[in-house]
Amino acid sequence: MTYRWNFASVFDNWQALAMGLAGTLKLSIVCLILGLSLGLLVGFGRRARRAPIRWLSTAFVEFFRNTPVLIQILWFYFALPMIAPIEVSPFLAAVLGITLNAAAYSSEIYRGGIQSIEPGQTEAARAIGMSGLQTLRRIVIPQAVRRILPALTNRGIEIVKTSTLASVVAYVELMQQGKLIASLNFNPIEAYTVVGVMFMLLLYPFVRATYAIERRLARSD
Amino acid sequence: MKVPVLRLSGLGKRFGSNTIFSGVDLDVLPGDRIAILGASGSGKSTLLRCINFLEHPDEGRIEVGGQLIGHVTGPNGPAVVRYDERELNQLRQRIGMVFQQFNLFPHMTAIANVMEGLVTVRRLAKPEARSKALEQLSRVGLADKADAYPAHLSGGQKQRVAIARALAMEPEILLFDEPTSSLDPALVGEVLGVIEALANEGRTMLLVTHEIGFAYHMATRVVFIANGGIYESGTPDEVLKSPKRALTQQFVADHRRFQF
């Protein structure tokens, strides 16, 4: 028995795929920016001088790191409107679930990166009169980013792929559109294959870009 | 009489229940070059680090240029000095520090290291900061290494860049924390040469070192730290040639064993 691949039925729906691509891009970019920035804050929170900030940050990380994103998205979509007087769109539910999860994971990466910078670096910066904030911005973070870039790249890729989970609340992105095409044309194998390849094509240039940044940052070695 | 550029009175530092030193009194006059000697772990580096508040002293006072750093609180009970971060940031610009491990910023070129304080702290325009930084690099003989990253410099060169970085802020006092202790013996000379040139300019400096011979020739005063405080102090001749107290005599004898 030979299977007859029928990609034409997928490509006929290129407009639906284009809409999905737009949705994936929008969701991914928002989650990348919010998730990785919030992660930096939480990472610092775990090193805060005040104990309550440390506890809160740790609780945040452990809660969102140890619950499935899929359930978080469902929960934000269905349960949140029942306990708070807000309307939650599929987009918002997905952003909340993915962002908070990404923040929890990336905060650990940031924390490790910041901890790995020798105390002598901070001391040297403070000794020429730099403030704590200036020291972070000019001395600690640039060096930490260099060390954590590969790990952060991994996280970024993961965030983009996790955006497929937004299909569970029918947010229009690539996975959702793939499902739609598959259910209309009975061609799930082809539809999901195309969606998978589209992710590959989307992410590979992104990865190449981070390699280029790594090379640029390695100039001082 | 000259006003001390730096005055420590009753200075003390503890880590937990462990007293590092206490009751340290020291007046530093303009142009003084004070060598701080002592066994490893005697607290001499910690004392130096208290002067620019990389460590906060637990007791006593520090005056710079006749002005008390921090403000005294607690009218009832023992007086406690509280420190304000902004004041300390200002103060550290007036006190240059050179570290044992150089602590150059590895992601910046030599000249960017020297410019960093001028640009970020002093807010000088880049071209102005650059020319000032180049001046300092020339002074330590490294103008030709301006665009090299620290990873491409020898230990001695790194330490000279670190000295240039401290000098760029035009500090009133220079602190050297064992500046040659992590260098190959062959590279010690170039760093000591730079420090000697600064001494000849009449700069005020405090130097924690194990180079006892260098301390003898360079210092105007030698302070020997032991038993959690200043154990003996005086001119280099007094402390190093004819020490009066037992631990100082022992220390000097240990360090002269292999000299020829």
Side-chain angles (χ1 to χ4, degrees), chain A residues 175-198:
Chain A
M175 184 68 194
Q176 172 68 13
Q177 299 301 83
K179 249 195 262 184
L180 190 72
I181 291 167
S183 66
L184 291 176
N185 301 285
F186 309 109
N187 56 354
I189 297 178
E190 288 87 348
Y192 294 137
T193 304
V194 169
V195 167
V197 170
M198 285 179 79

Side-chain angles (χ1 to χ4, degrees), chain B residues 6-11 24-28 47 51 61-63 206:
Chain B
L6 172 71
R7 165 174 279 175
L8 315 180
S9 29
L11 208 68
V24 169
D25 298 314
L26 186 68
D27 275 5
V28 181
L47 175 62
I51 294 172
R61 298 174 185 199
I62 297 179
E63 287 168 48
L206 285 84

Side-chain angles (χ1 to χ4, degrees), chain B residues 184-202:
Chain B
D184 279 351
L187 302 176
V188 169
E190 62 185 81
V191 172
L192 293 186
V194 168
I195 298 173
E196 190 179 21
L198 293 171
N200 292 336
E201 287 174 16

